[in-house]
Amino acid sequence: MDGCRSGVPTYEGDLHVVAAAHHIVKALGATKNLSDDLRKILIDLDSHLSMITSNIDSKGGRGLVDVEERLDQAERKIMRWETDPMMIWDSGPKEASDYLEAVDETGKLVDGLRGLSVHENRKQKEILHRAMNIFQTAMSRLEEELIHILVRHGQQFEPKNMYSRSIRKDIVYDESFVSVEDEPTKETSSQNCSNDESGECIVDLVHADVIPDIKSIAKVMFTSNYGPEFCEAFISVQKEALEQYFSFLGTENLSIEDVLKMEWTCLSSKMNKWTWSMKIIVRVYLASEKQLCDQVLGGLGSVSSYCFLEISKATILCLLNFGEAVAMGPHRPEKLLRLLDMYETLADLLRDIDTLFSEEAGSFIQLQFHELLERLGESAIAAFKAFRVAISSNGSLYPFAGGGVHPLNKYVMNYIRMFPEYWNTLNLLLKNQHPGVADQVTKPDYGPDTSLLTSCPMAYHLRSITSCLESNLHKKSQLYKDEALQHIFLMNNIHYLVQKVKGSELRLFFGDEWIRKHNAMFQQHAMNYERATWSSVVSFLKDNNPGSSSMSKSTFKERCKGFSIAFEEVYKTQTSWSIPDPQLREDLRISTSLKVVLAYRTFLGRNLAYTDDKCVKHTVEHVENSLLDLFGGSSRSLRNSRRW
Amino acid sequence: MDTQEQELEDIELFQKHVSDRFTELSSPPEDDALLSVSWLHRLLDVFLCCEAEFEAILIMDRDPSQLSKPPFDRLIPEFIERAVKALDICNAVANGVDSVRHCQKLSEIVISALDQNPLGDGHAKRAKKALLMLLSAMNLDDKEGTHVKATERSWSFGRRGVNKEQIAGHFRSLSWQVAKNWSSAKQIQSMMYNLVAPRGAEASGLPSPIYTMNVIMIFVMWALVAAIPCQERNGLPTHFPVPKQLNWAHSLIGLQEKIADEWKKKEKKGMSGLLDELQKMEKLAQSLIDFTDSFHFPGDAEKVKEAAANVSELKEIFGRMDQGLTPLQMHIREVFHRIVRSRTEFLDVLEKGSAPVV
C-alpha cells in the first residue's frame, strides 16, 4: 500500500487540513503564557505536520527516503561513539553538540514517524524501529556521559579553610570531681564558632565550566522522558561524593549502643567534631549541592528538590542520629558544655535547614532537626541540674590536708568560668525552668548594663551554684579540729572563689555587690584566724601592769618560756598549712607580723634587764623571719636562734 | 490484697490482648499478605499498643522502689539494654527501606519503558537495563565489602565496554551502615541472649509481662530485619527460645515459624528481603528480563500479552510501595521515639526507686 497516504482520501483535502492545522499551531505558539508541557505538544505537533506535509508532497515514497537519509546520518553520528574508547564530552564541545544534535534529530524522527499510522507500511515500521533503537542507545550513552562528567569534574574543598575550628580547650573532668587539673589561662572565649560566620559559603562541587554540559544532557533526557534515568545517575554519583566527603571529615557512623557506652574523653571529642562537621556539611556542602541541583535541574519542577533530598538524606540522618544518641545518654555534669555547643550549633543551623529542605518531602528532615534541638536542650538542663546535685553531694570523710584550695572548688569555678560564653543559650533554656526569675535581656554589645546581667536567669543560677559550693565548703571546714585551720581553709577557698569571679566575665553576672560581700567574708576569716591562733600566744607578752616599770624576773622567764613554746608549736603546726595565693599569704604574714613582732619587741624592750638571759630563746628578727616560713605547706620545727 | 488482685487481672488482660493481636496478624486479609508493607504497618501498630499497655502496668501508680528490688533490679536494666539494641535495628531498617524505595524507583523506569503500545526494541532495551539494575539491587549481598563505588568504575576514565550493571544506584554506601562491623543478625542474637521465661512464682507476677514485652520487641525487630534488607543479615537466627506452653505466645510463635521457613528457603538463593512486595517484584522482574532478552519487534503476541500482564502487576506493586514505604519509615521512626521515651521512663523509675544519694 502506498505509505505516503496518511489515510485521508484526497490529496488536496490533505493539504488543506494540514495547512489549517499548521496555522492553528503557529497561532497557539505565539501565545505568551504557555506551559512547558503545552509548548512541547505544539512542537511535536509541528514536526508531525511537517512530516505529513513532506509525505504528501512527495509522491512515490520520497518522503520516507528523506526520513531514512536523515536517520542514517544521525545513526552514523551516534553509533560511531559506541566503538570509540573516548568519552564524547571529553573530546570537545563540537563533538558534544554534534552528538546532541543527532540525538535531537533522531528524537524528532521518532516522534514524526510515530505520528503517522504505523500499521500501514512495513518500511515505515522498520525505520521507526531502527530510530527507536538508536534513540535508546543514545540515551544510555548520555547517562554514561553524565556520570563521567560528574565524576571527572567533581571537586572537593578543603574544610580547614572554611571554618576555624573552635579552640576551646578540652577540659577533662573526672567523674569523681576530685582529680582535676587547674588550667586557668588557656581559654580564649571569643573563638566560639557559632558567633563567627553567619552566611553560607557556596563552592563549586562540580567545575563551573561543565554545568552547561550537564544542563544540556538533562534537557535532552527529560524531554525524552528519560528523566528517571538521569536522576538515578545524578543522585548516585552525588550521593557517593557527599558520603566520601563525610568520611573524609573524620566523622564516622556510630551505633547508639556505642555512643551510650563511650567513655567521656572519647565522647567529648566526638561531640566537638560533630559540631564542626555539622556546620561544614550544612552551610557549605549542602548549600552548594542545592545550588548545583538548582542550576542543573531548575525549571523542571520538583525534580531539583527531589534529587537534593535523596542525595543528602542519609548523611543528615546519620548526623542527627549521633545527636539523638548523645541526648539519650546519662546526664553527667561534665557533658554540659559540649551539649550546649551542640545545641547552639543546631540552633544556628535551623534557618539554613529550613531553607534547604523547604519542600514538603523535606519537612521530615526539618522536623527531626527541631526535635533534636529540643532534646539537646532538655539534656543540657538535666546536666546542669546534675551539676548542682553533684556539688551538694560531694562529701568528704577527712579534712583536706593543709587547708588549701579544695579541688571541688577548683573544678566548679573553672567550669562555670566558661558559662558566660553560652549565656544567651543558657538563659533561654533556664528561663523555662524558673518562670519567676526576671527575663533575660537582649545580648549587649560589650557595654553592658551590669544590673541587667546580674539579674538574668543564668546569673541567678550561677549565684545559686556558688552558694551551694560555699555550703559544702563550710561543711568541709567543720572536719578540722583546729578552729584556726577552719578559718584558713575558708579564707583560702572564698578568696579563690572571688578571684575566679573577678578575673573573668563572671564578674558581670555576679556583680559588684556580691564581690564586695565575699571580699569581706574572706577577710573576716583571716581576722578570725589571727584571733584564734595568736591571741593566746600574744597574751604571754601582754603587760598586765602598765603602770609599773617591769615585771619580776621569774614572771619574765615564765612568760618568755610560755611564748617560746606557744610560738614553736604554732610554727610546727602552721608551717604545714597552705595559703596558695602568694598575695594572700603575704598579706596575712604582714598582718600577723605587725601583731606579733610588735608585741614581742615591746615585751623585750620593756624588760631589757633580763634579755641576756638564756630564757630568751628567740630574737625579734628570728621571730620575724620565722613568720615567713608559715603556710609553706610542709611542717618544720623551729631552731633555737641562739645557736646561730 | 486488692491491688495485687488487680495487678494479676491487668497482667492477664494484657496477655490476652497480646494473644488476640497476634492472632489477627496471623490471618491477614487478601491484600495484606504476611510481610507486605501494610502488614508491617499493622505489626508496628501492634507493638505500639502492647508497649503502651505494658508501660501502664509496670509504671503507673506504682511505687518506684518496688522495681528496684530483685528480680526487677536485673529484669528492668536488661529490658532497657534490649531496647537500646532495638533502636539501632530501627535505624538499620529505616535505612533499608530507602534501598527498597530505590527498587521502587527502578521499577518505575521498567514500567514506563514497557507500558508502550506497540512495544519497540528500544523500549525493551531500556527496560532490560533497568531490570538488570533492579535485580542486582535486590540481590546485592548486604555485606559491607560489596560496595561498588562510582569512582572506581573503569569507564569513568575513558575506557569503555564496562558492565553496565555496575553503573549507578547501589546505595550500599557508607551512610547506609549503622556502624562499621555492625550486624543486624548479631544484634538480634544478642537481644535473645539471656531471655528466660519466668518460672514458678515469678510466672504469675510482674516478671511475666516483662518477659512478654521482651519477646514482642525481639519478634518485631526480627520480622523487620527479615523483611527489609539491612546491614549484615547473614546468620539471622531462625529459632526463638519461647516455650510453646505459654498461652499468649501461640500465634506469635506460629508467625515466627512461618517467616523463619521462608527465610531458610531464601537464604540459599540470595539475600533480598522477605518483604512481600519485593518478593513479587523479583519474580516479575525475572520473567520480564527473560521477555526483554528474547524480544524482537514486533514480538510474539502471546508473550507480549503476558509481559503486559506482568507490567500491570508491577504497576500495582509500585503503587503499594509508593503509598506505603515513606509512611513505613515514619512509622518506624515513631516506634523508635516510643522506645526512647519508654527507656527514659524506666531509667527514671530506677533512679527514684534506688537509695537517694547523700
Side-chain angles (χ1 to χ4, degrees), chain B residues 224-253:
Chain B
L224 285 173
V225 169
I228 312 269
C230 53
Q231 189 175 358
E232 199 55 70
R233 299 182 305 156
N234 236 349
L236 188 69
T238 46
H239 174 68
F240 265 49
V242 178
K244 297 213 169 138
Q245 318 89 278
L246 293 170
N247 289 340
W248 56 264
H250 287 161
S251 304
L252 190 150
I253 295 179

Side-chain angles (χ1 to χ4, degrees), chain A residues 109-170:
Chain A
L109 292 173
V110 166
D111 283 343
L113 285 168
R114 259 212 276 217
L116 303 176
S117 41
V118 192
H119 306 290
E120 303 293 339
N121 188 335
R122 204 188 56 161
K123 182 76 176 152
Q124 228 170 277
K125 277 196 225 173
E126 252 179 60
I127 299 176
L128 175 58
H129 166 86
R130 195 156 64 102
M132 288 201 294
N133 256 352
I134 295 167
F135 196 71
Q136 162 62 23
T137 308
M139 285 295 128
S140 192
R141 181 55 185 257
L142 283 179
E143 195 185 321
E144 282 179 41
E145 293 287 324
L146 170 69
I147 295 176
H148 174 75
I149 294 174
L150 285 171
V151 170
R152 180 139 186 225
H153 300 280
Q155 303 180 136
Q156 281 202 340
F157 57 95
E158 190 49 48
K160 314 260 187 300
N161 303 335
M162 291 290 142
Y163 274 82
S164 58
R165 213 155 156 175
S166 165
I167 61 173
R168 254 188 232 127
K169 190 162 164 41
D170 254 297

